[in-house]
Amino acid sequence: VCLKKMAKIFETNVSALEAELAKLIMQDDYDTENSVTTNGPRLSIQARIDSHNKILYARQANDDQREITYRKAFAMGEEFCLEAQASILRANLGTERIVYTASSSSKTK
């Protein structure tokens, strides 16, 4: 939806309309992340704003799938970093000839 046309229909300027739409979109993002449910009418929208071209895009189902994919990739990256740090720590302990046993006691050879 072209924001310029929408602003004309609602008899407002484009920047005010864009700010109001941004509030509604951010409210939807907050509700989704925090699993907020309301009993009354929902005052939020699922959309994205192209601020450069002044266009409002409805959020598609594939956008949600893309977000899920990014979150999974990010989690895998964090897990990889933790495993890499643990491997480096084990290598450094081996270099210093420090042995760590399951009984939580450290021994030096």
Side-chain angles (χ1 to χ4, degrees):
V1 177
C2 178
L3 293 182
K4 292 175 185 175
K5 290 180 183 178
M6 193 174 179
K8 186 176 179 182
I9 291 169
F10 286 111
E11 297 177 355
T12 186
N13 61 38
V14 175
S15 60
L17 177 64
E18 187 174 357
E20 186 67 26
L21 289 169
K23 284 182 196 176
L24 292 171
I25 291 168
M26 286 188 286
Q27 182 62 40
D28 179 66
D29 290 342
Y30 175 80
D31 291 349
T32 302
E33 287 178 7
N34 296 302
S35 301
V36 173
T37 56
T38 58
N39 295 332
R42 190 168 162 208
L43 300 175
S44 62
I45 58 173
Q46 293 184 348
R48 294 180 305 164
I49 298 174
D50 178 350
S51 295
H52 181 71
N53 295 317
K54 303 299 182 196
I55 297 175
L56 177 69
Y57 294 102
R59 186 172 290 164
Q60 302 294 323
N62 63 354
D63 288 345
D64 294 333
Q65 185 61 41
R66 185 179 307 144
E67 181 179 349
I68 290 168
T69 302
Y70 284 134
R71 287 182 190 269
K72 285 181 182 178
F74 185 75
M76 288 177 66
E78 285 183 328
E79 184 179 336
F80 174 78
C81 286
L82 289 173
E83 289 178 8
Q85 289 174 342
S87 295
I88 292 169
L89 177 61
R90 283 191 297 275
N92 287 338
L93 289 172
T95 301
E96 298 297 323
R97 299 183 192 277
I98 298 173
V99 178
Y100 180 78
T101 62
S103 64
S104 299
S105 63
S106 297
K107 299 179 182 177
T108 306
K109 289 184 177 180

